[in-house]
């Protein structure tokens, strides 16, 4: 499974690509829009930003997958938003907007997961690698 160092390095490389290309490359990945999620560190209390793909939308909500590549551990950003659900989100390089992050209920997940895995099979593969149920997070505008 990916190490924390690898994930942080990939995030830094992604940001560098965006910066070097002036945003012409990097705001879409594997056919999905890329967003920046800013959470509050659950121990530090400081802002933590991560670049994520959003495979589908559910109404106004952007849906992100807390897969961590199929690791048995949840990603740090997921643990942060679970403790503090008020987040900021920048969609494809736009301004950061306040949003509320909610973990999909079992009923929501039963509808959303098949939609995600139908178009993005890598997520189904991640689920097969781990015994934990990979959470889906809905990011909804606060205003």
């Amino acid at each position: 499974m990916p190490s924390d160092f690898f994930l942080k390095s990939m995030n830094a490389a992604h940001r560098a690509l965006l910066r070097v290309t002036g945003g012409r490359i990097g705001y879409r990945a594997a056919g999905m829009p890329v967003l920046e999620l800013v959470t509050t560190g659950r121990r530090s209390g400081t802002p933590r930003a991560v670049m994520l793909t959003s495979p589908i939308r559910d109404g106004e909500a952007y849906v992100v997958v807390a897969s961590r590549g199929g690791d048995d551990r949840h990603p740090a950003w997921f643990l942060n938003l679970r403790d503090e659900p008020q987040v900021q989100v920048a969609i494809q390089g736009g301004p950061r907007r306040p949003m509320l992050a909610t973990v999909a209920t079992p009923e929501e997940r039963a509808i959303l997961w098949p939609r995600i895995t139908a178009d993005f099979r890598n997520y189904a593969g991640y689920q097969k690698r781990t015994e934990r149920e990979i959470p889906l997070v809905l990011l909804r505008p606060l205003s």
Side-chain angles (χ1 to χ4, degrees):
M1 292 306 112
S3 69
D4 289 338
F5 176 77
F6 176 78
L7 293 172
K8 288 178 182 179
S9 297
M10 290 302 297
N11 212 350
H14 192 159
R15 288 178 187 284
L17 177 66
L18 289 167
R19 200 170 33 256
V20 167
T21 66
R24 289 185 304 277
I25 300 173
Y27 282 122
R28 290 197 68 76
M32 296 175 272
V34 172
L35 57 82
E36 177 188 51
L37 172 67
V38 182
T39 62
T40 301
R42 63 194 178 283
R43 290 181 289 217
S44 68
T46 59
R48 303 290 185 191
V50 63
M51 305 300 289
L52 300 171
T53 55
S54 176
I56 61 170
R57 300 236 355 228
D58 185 45
E60 284 189 77
Y62 286 87
V63 180
V64 292
V65 182
S67 63
R68 201 172 191 275
D71 195 6
D72 288 330
R73 297 176 294 151
H74 292 303
W77 61 262
F78 175 77
L79 300 173
N80 289 342
L81 68 75
R82 195 174 59 183
D83 286 0
E84 175 49 68
Q86 290 193 21
V87 298
Q88 291 186 3
V89 178
I91 308 299
Q92 294 184 298
R96 289 180 178 173
R97 298 176 28 209
M99 292 199 180
L100 183 65
T102 58
V103 178
T105 65
E107 295 79 18
E108 289 171 323
R109 190 179 190 287
I111 294 167
L112 297 172
W113 186 252
R115 286 179 52 202
I116 292 169
T117 57
D119 290 334
F120 305 100
R121 292 193 176 115
N122 55 312
Y123 290 115
Y126 297 159
Q127 184 61 76
K128 288 179 184 174
R129 289 185 200 157
T130 183
E131 292 186 22
R132 74 177 171 97
E133 182 176 80
I134 294 175
L136 303 180
V137 177
L138 291 88
L139 304 168
R140 293 185 176 94
L142 277 177
S143 49

